């Protein structure tokens, strides 16, 4: 664990590197506990100006005075919440569980979708109800992400939610729902989709 003062946090090395690499660099510099604290605060709606040194790593932007990324009318606040969730996607701790559960109910789809990805990657406890609620979201990509999350975190009471997605108007969602149910059936000893009485081929 590190106790590095963020005022001493060096700027990221120049050059193009994947965001996951930059987030890993921040993790090495400040320690997992601090990184997760920052990400949870951002996901919860913290002021972006409170975390400029860390956001240089979390976003790949320079964050100089006058930079449009500092202007919430240009880069909306939901981006800040999304960046917080994305940090957790690449460097996880169970201490972030409550923040991700809450993030699934975000009013904007981007933070919620990122929390679905975190849920699916780390089997985050308590995220199944939020994922189930997002299976009827307006955007197909969010519904597909919800199916992927339920494949991992869903319980028996969510099986019918996934089955209902097999009739989704978007093929990509139907494909993810079928995969999700197959995985849930294996995990939870559920009846296969082609079993008598299931109602779907």
């Amino acid at each position: 664990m590190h106790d590095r003062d963020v005022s001493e946090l060096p700027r990221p090395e120049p050059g193009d590197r994947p965001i996951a690499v930059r987030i890993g660099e921040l993790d090495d510099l400040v320690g997992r506990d601090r990184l997760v604290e920052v990400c949870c605060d951002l996901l919860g709606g913290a002021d972006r100006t409170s975390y400029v040194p860390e956001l240089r790593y979390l976003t790949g932007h320079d964050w100089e005075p006058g930079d449009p990324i500092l202007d919430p009318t240009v880069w909306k606040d939901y981006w800040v919440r999304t960046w917080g969730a994305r940090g957790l996607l690449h460097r996880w701790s169970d201490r972030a569980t409550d923040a991700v559960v809450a993030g699934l109910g975000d009013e904007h789809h981007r933070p919620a979708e990122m929390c679905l990805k975190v849920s699916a990657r780390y089997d985050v406890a308590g995220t199944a109800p939020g994922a189930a609620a997002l299976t009827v979201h307006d955007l197909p990509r969010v519904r597909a992400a919800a199916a992927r999350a339920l494949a991992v975190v869903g319980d028996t009471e969510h099986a019918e939610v996934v089955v209902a997605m097999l009739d989704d108007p978007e093929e990509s969602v139907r494909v993810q729902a079928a995969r999700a149910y197959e995985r849930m059936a294996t995990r939870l000893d559920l009846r296969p989709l082609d079993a008598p009485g299931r109602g779907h081929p």
Side-chain angles (χ1 to χ4, degrees), residues 72-90:
T73 66
V74 179
W75 285 82
K76 305 293 187 182
D77 285 340
Y78 64 76
W79 283 111
V80 180
R81 302 195 299 275
T82 304
W83 295 327
R86 186 173 62 182
L88 298 172
L89 180 67
H90 295 293

Side-chain angles (χ1 to χ4, degrees), residues 1-47:
M1 178 178 174
H2 303 264
D3 271 329
R4 186 163 197 158
D5 184 340
V6 294
S7 65
E8 301 174 358
L9 192 63
R11 288 175 175 268
E13 291 293 327
D16 262 344
R17 297 187 304 294
I19 287 297
V21 172
R22 290 176 176 267
I23 292 170
E25 293 167 354
L26 180 60
D27 188 24
D28 291 341
L29 286 166
V30 303
R32 184 64 53 88
D33 287 350
R34 174 60 181 169
L35 173 62
V36 168
E37 178 185 6
V38 169
C39 289
C40 288
D41 282 354
L42 293 170
L43 176 55
D47 184 340

